[in-house]
Amino acid sequence: MKDNKYKSSIYHKIIFAISLIVLLFIGVITVKHINNISDSSRLLMHTYEVNLELEHLFSYIKDSENSMRGYLISKDTLYLKPYRTATKNVNNSFLLLNNLTKDNPIQQKNLESLYGIVNKRYEYISNYADANNSIDLTKDNHFKKNFRESSTLLVEIRNKLNEMVALEELFLKERNKLYQSQIYLTPILTLSILFLTLMVLVFAYYQTNKDVEKLQAANIKLSKSQFLSYQAEILSEFGTWEWNLNNNSLSFSDNLYRILGVEPQSIEASEESFLKFVHPEDIEVVKETNKKIVNQEEVPYTYFRIIKADGTPRLLRATGKLFTDRLGNQTVLGVTEDITVENDKTELLKSNYEDLIKANNHLKIFEESSKQAEILGKYGSWVLNYDTLEFTYSDNRFRLLGFEPQSFKPSVEKFVEFVHPEDKHIVINALDKAQKEKKFPTINYRIIRKDGKIRRFRTNATSFIDFLGAKCMIGTTQDVTVDYNKSLQLKARNKELEQKINELNEFNHVASHDLQEPLRKIQTFISRINDKETNNLSDFGKEYLSRIESASVRMRVLINDLLQYSRTNKSENKLEKVDLNIVLQDSLTELSQKIEDTQARIHYTDLPVINGLQFQMQQLFYNLLSNSLKYAKEQVIPEVSISYTEVMAKTEPLLNEKQNKKYYKFEFTDNGIGFEQEHAEKIFLLFNRLHGKTDYQGTGVGLAICKKIIENHNGFIFATSQPEIRTTFTFFIPA
């Protein structure tokens, strides 16, 4: 709508400018035409004035001639007065003609010649115009000569006047012709101007009416949008607000007042009045958010609490953005939503609240990265319309085939063209089944890309009905070439692993039977020698025999520990309910003689029932208790403390996890010799010993067995120690 308004405004400005130019042009032409007509009319009048004045001049000359003749004949001085008046009129007429013909060189020249003739004639008769003159005109030859010359000059005057009149008549014809032509064009020009003006007015009216219709339609649409927006705010429990930064004024929508618990427009819309409803602990959050919005920072949704007018607490979610128009006016537009009901529903699942938040964050991350997911996962999606058999591909579906996105129109035939000839029947059968049964089985096949490379694809799909009611199928196609190659390698390695397992089983058989058989014979012969031949041995022989016996015992213990370690395999067993109190009592019973010999004190609390393997947990407790008794300090009564608690993974520093997963935390603490903390991880390695064989008996396998048992139960084990003070074994098992 905004773009259309802008285009319409520019369009109107252009039309207005063109109309103004046309009107100005028409006005200039009209003024110029009127001026031409005025000039033509003025020239016609000028010609008439010149002709009229020439007639007046000749009339004045004749009057002076007649007056002079009357005087000469009658000698009556009364004729001299009209003579002098006529002479004066002639002079005035000459002055007027001179002024009228000043822009006509020809007539000026004629007028000058005429003036000379008239002046010469007056010179002839001026001598006889005196009333005191007593000349006898009848007898004076000089008078007769002058009188004849005067008559001749009068004829010349008449001829010159006729010449000037003829010239003016010629001018009159030309100017009248020009005037007539201009008068002829006047109605045509007037009608043309009226027509053009009418066209401009009609076009302007058409455009104005068209824009008015668009404006009415836009107003109707805007009214509908405002109504829907008004209802949407009520139904969705949100309100909008607008903050004008130029004059620092705020305006709230009606529903925002309702969210605050007051009547619409019943209080002044301002930051201060709004903050009065905000929970005291969240006021700084709201202020800081407003500052960030004004500073044009990216602000996510802000959550804060309010206390409504009736005292009811509510949880709100708000967001806003700063807009700057072309004139530099800054306005913040925002939306505030009441999410109390949504939050209450969340509170019903408090135990999983943080998992939900994390899942929500993961969902947001997934949504933001969905555009890249297909590329990273090497798959593309597609939709097939059963009715039209039209395909729609995602961008990465084209890339998998070696093409640019949307570079060709997908179709069933085009899809089959890329399939490897040997696998076409797989795809065709799947498409036929999809068409008939509306089911598409998962298929694996090869395709030949645009660049000629052969890739292995896996496709699966499911049917659905879109919102228009059309039956469609949506599917994904993944490039599994790398996985296929890895599967081939994995099969080969699995075969090698099976061979190694068989070899290990053979070793276990040898260790349990073949190796122990000669060891039993050695121990049997040592026993017989001790019974029957001890007295026949020298002291060195007795010492060597004792060492052989000790070595054979250590070898038997080592073989048994190795067998125990190799058999500690969770995959071969199913977890069951195990009461650790019974496990602990059985372990204490097995170690009762050792406990009695060392006078050890064992402190413990009630232990839980877990999901585990009975015999492995028995081995774990036995090894840990035995280890504490073995490494007791001399002359100090051993004390062992066994305890447990239930913990959350994210609150336990040793686990370094951020999940809400529950664990049973067990601690075995003793007051033995301890060890340096730097050896805390080494003690769980197979055959690793921190002390010599002569100092403490053992094979270095017991703690390795403990770690493997804990790992079989998806748990963790740690050791912390201070030399000569204490040692604590801590292990975690999922609750």
Side-chain angles (χ1 to χ4, degrees), residues 53 55 82 125 191 229 286 502 530 606 672 681 684:
E53 194 59 38
E55 292 296 331
I125 66 175
L191 290 175
S229 176
V286 176
N502 292 332
N530 283 329
D606 287 340
E681 295 184 4
F684 293 109

Coordinates of all heavy atoms in Angstrom, one line a residue, residues 53 55 82 125 191 229 286 502 530 606 672 681 684:
E53 N -6.6 62.3 -42.8 CA -5.9 63.6 -42.6 C -5.4 64.1 -43.9 O -5.3 65.4 -44.1 CB -4.7 63.3 -41.6 CG -4.0 64.6 -41.1 CD -5.0 65.4 -40.3 OE1 -5.9 64.8 -39.6 OE2 -5.0 66.7 -40.4
E55 N -7.0 63.9 -46.7 CA -8.2 64.6 -47.2 C -8.4 65.9 -46.6 O -8.8 66.9 -47.2 CB -9.4 63.7 -47.1 CG -9.4 62.4 -47.9 CD -9.5 62.7 -49.4 OE1 -10.0 63.8 -49.8 OE2 -9.0 61.9 -50.1
P82 N -10.5 83.7 -43.2 CA -10.5 82.2 -43.5 C -9.3 81.7 -44.2 O -8.9 80.6 -44.0 CB -11.7 82.1 -44.4 CG -12.2 83.4 -44.8 CD -11.6 84.4 -43.9
I125 N 1.7 83.4 -53.5 CA 0.5 84.2 -53.2 C 0.6 85.0 -52.0 O -0.3 85.8 -51.6 CB -0.8 83.3 -53.2 CG1 -0.7 82.3 -52.0 CG2 -1.0 82.5 -54.4 CD1 -2.0 81.5 -51.8
L191 N -11.5 27.5 -30.2 CA -12.0 26.2 -30.0 C -10.9 25.2 -29.6 O -11.2 24.3 -28.8 CB -12.7 25.8 -31.3 CG -14.0 26.5 -31.6 CD1 -14.5 26.1 -33.0 CD2 -15.1 26.3 -30.6
S229 N -7.7 -6.1 13.6 CA -6.6 -5.8 14.6 C -7.2 -5.6 16.0 O -6.7 -6.1 17.0 CB -5.8 -4.6 14.1 OG -4.8 -4.3 15.1
V286 N 12.5 -3.0 32.3 CA 11.7 -2.2 31.3 C 12.4 -1.0 30.9 O 12.5 -0.7 29.7 CB 10.3 -1.9 31.9 CG1 9.5 -1.0 31.0 CG2 9.5 -3.1 32.3
N502 N 36.6 -63.4 18.5 CA 36.8 -64.9 18.5 C 38.2 -65.2 19.1 O 38.4 -66.1 19.9 CB 36.7 -65.5 17.1 CG 35.3 -65.4 16.6 OD1 34.3 -65.4 17.4 ND2 35.1 -65.3 15.3
N530 N 56.8 -79.1 49.8 CA 56.7 -78.5 51.2 C 56.4 -79.6 52.2 O 56.8 -79.6 53.3 CB 55.7 -77.4 51.2 CG 56.2 -76.1 50.7 OD1 57.4 -75.9 50.7 ND2 55.3 -75.3 50.1
D606 N 21.3 -46.0 54.8 CA 20.5 -46.8 53.9 C 20.8 -46.4 52.4 O 20.9 -45.2 52.1 CB 19.0 -46.5 54.2 CG 18.6 -47.2 55.5 OD1 19.3 -48.2 55.9 OD2 17.6 -46.8 56.0
G672 N 42.9 -43.7 54.8 CA 44.2 -44.4 54.4 C 45.3 -43.5 54.1 O 45.3 -42.3 54.3
E681 N 43.6 -39.9 37.8 CA 43.1 -40.6 36.6 C 43.9 -41.9 36.3 O 43.4 -42.8 35.8 CB 43.1 -39.7 35.4 CG 42.2 -38.5 35.6 CD 42.1 -37.6 34.3 OE1 42.8 -38.0 33.4 OE2 41.5 -36.6 34.4
F684 N 42.9 -45.6 37.6 CA 41.8 -46.4 36.9 C 42.3 -47.1 35.7 O 41.5 -47.7 35.0 CB 40.6 -45.5 36.6 CG 39.9 -44.9 37.8 CD1 40.0 -43.6 38.1 CD2 39.2 -45.7 38.6 CE1 39.4 -43.1 39.2 CE2 38.5 -45.2 39.7 CZ 38.6 -43.9 40.1

